[in-house]
Amino acid sequence: MIRDRLSWLRFLGLSLGDRTPDENTIRHFRNRLTETGTLSQVMKAFDWQLQKKGYIPMSGQIVDATLVPAPRQRNTEGEREAIKSGKSAKDIWPDEPNKAAQKETDARWKLKVGGKVRYRADGTPLPMIALPVFGYKSHISIDRRLRFIRGMAVTSASAADGRLLRQVVSTDNTSSEVWADSAYRSRRNEKWLSDQMLTSRIHRRKPMGKPMSRATARANAAKSSIRAHVEHIFAHQKNRFGLFIRTIGLARAEAKLTLCNLAYNFNRLIFHERRECRD
């Protein structure tokens, strides 16, 4: 893309006659950023620049997570058990270093249940489609008004969403409200939000074996209309960026998703700047 697009050359400060970096140079540079933890600092520095330009996080924050697929692994039953027990690729394949270098041991399987839950007349839920996904999970929080990604975390696909709430929620938003789906509702999270002087707008779950009350359903629907904004970001990343993890290991997956979140924030900043110019 650097060799093909003038926009990329201008972005990198290169002219047509300059030498452009090859694939290995870019790969080594990205690996160096990953090893030194520089990317997380770049994310914070970009957020500081946003606030310096007047894009202050306002109106609360929305939290959600999405599954990001990775190439599926073909392992034996014993190898799968060893991976689940936490062994590294070098321990599982000590005599095959080349094979170990290409084996993914950090990603996990997760059943993705899609669609809206529908119920029979007696209150029992109808069957839903479950799609197995192998890969990682991207956790983000955005500010409700400007919709910049302000916080992020990366885990394997099997990690529970609610456990990452503390890592992605910030306390510098001008509003105390926090929106999230029912996966984030727990006594521990509610207590933590209360201790941080934050107001929970997390969805409530349906009572076990009972239909959901109309008041709760209406409240959840009102929260969904606000929480849907974060789904647009995931759709943007997956449709326009073709988000897919092709690297090996959690550290590189985190680098990939950090760069993806930065790219989205760049696009969002351009959107706001152009709108201000038109106004």
Side-chain angles (χ1 to χ4, degrees):
M1 293 179 73
I2 296 172
R3 296 172 180 172
D4 182 62
R5 300 189 181 185
L6 293 176
S7 60
W8 280 75
L9 287 174
R10 288 194 296 268
F11 177 76
L12 296 174
L14 300 173
S15 61
L16 290 174
D18 293 337
R19 295 180 61 184
T20 57
D22 58 11
E23 293 84 350
N24 286 333
T25 301
I26 297 173
R27 178 172 58 84
H28 286 304
F29 179 67
R30 184 177 58 206
N31 289 344
R32 186 61 178 163
L33 291 176
T34 304
E35 294 167 359
T36 58
T38 306
L39 281 176
S40 60
Q41 299 301 321
V42 173
M43 190 78 177
K44 293 179 181 179
F46 186 82
D47 187 73
W48 179 80
Q49 291 289 344
L50 287 177
Q51 298 195 40
K52 188 177 178 181
K53 291 174 68 68
Y55 297 105
I56 301 172
M58 300 179 179
S59 305
Q61 50 197 314
I62 308 172
V63 180
D64 204 356
T66 188
L67 293 171
V68 183
R72 300 183 178 185
Q73 303 286 295
R74 292 176 173 82
N75 301 317
T76 63
E77 186 65 29
E79 292 170 345
R80 285 196 291 269
E81 292 299 325
I83 291 173
K84 290 180 181 179
S85 65
K87 291 185 178 180
S88 64
K90 293 181 180 180
D91 295 333
I92 300 173
W93 298 279
D95 300 328
E96 301 176 275
N98 293 334
K99 182 178 181 179
Q102 299 298 321
K103 282 296 185 178
E104 175 63 83
T105 58
D106 292 334
R108 293 291 185 271
W109 285 96
K110 175 73 173 181
L111 279 178
K112 180 180 180 181
V113 181
K116 182 179 179 181
V117 181
R118 302 185 182 278
Y119 301 92
R120 299 185 179 91
D122 59 357
T124 58
L126 291 168
M128 301 183 67
I129 298 176
L131 178 67
V133 178
F134 179 80
Y136 294 90
K137 189 175 287 187
S138 173
H139 309 258
I140 65 171
S141 66
I142 67 170
D143 59 282
R144 177 187 173 189
R145 181 179 179 185
L146 300 172
R147 302 180 195 176
F148 285 108
I149 298 175
R150 304 287 184 172
M152 62 162 289
V154 179
T155 63
S156 66
S158 61
D161 295 352
R163 295 180 181 178
L164 275 295
L165 182 71
R166 302 185 183 191
Q167 295 188 29
V168 296
V169 168
S170 64
T171 56
D172 60 352
N173 199 288
T174 58
S175 174
S176 64
E177 295 177 303
V178 177
W179 283 269
D181 61 28
S182 59
Y184 292 88
R185 178 168 284 277
S186 67
R187 292 182 179 178
R188 185 179 179 184
N189 284 343
E190 293 296 311
K191 183 180 184 303
W192 181 80
L193 291 173
S194 178
D195 293 341
Q196 300 298 318
M197 305 298 290
L198 296 173
T199 304
S200 173
R201 300 289 184 231
I202 302 176
H203 283 225
R204 293 188 177 274
R205 295 187 177 93
K206 188 183 80 67
M208 184 68 69
K210 299 179 182 179
M212 183 178 291
S213 66
R214 290 186 178 181
T216 302
R218 285 196 298 267
N220 283 349
K223 295 172 184 175
S224 294
S225 64
I226 297 173
R227 198 183 60 81
H229 297 315
V230 72
E231 300 292 348
H232 300 162
I233 295 176
F234 291 141
H236 180 96
Q237 291 180 329
K238 291 182 177 181
N239 295 334
R240 294 197 61 186
F241 298 165
L243 188 56
F244 189 87
I245 302 297
R246 302 185 185 277
T247 56
I248 302 296
L250 179 61
R252 291 180 178 178
E254 184 175 1
K256 170 81 173 183
L257 293 173
T258 301
L259 291 171
C260 183
N261 291 338
L262 276 170
Y264 169 81
N265 279 349
F266 270 112
N267 283 349
R268 192 66 187 173
L269 177 61
I270 293 171
F271 167 79
H272 285 296
E273 295 286 297
R274 287 178 176 175
R275 188 172 63 177
E276 288 184 5
C277 291
R278 289 196 300 267
D279 296 341

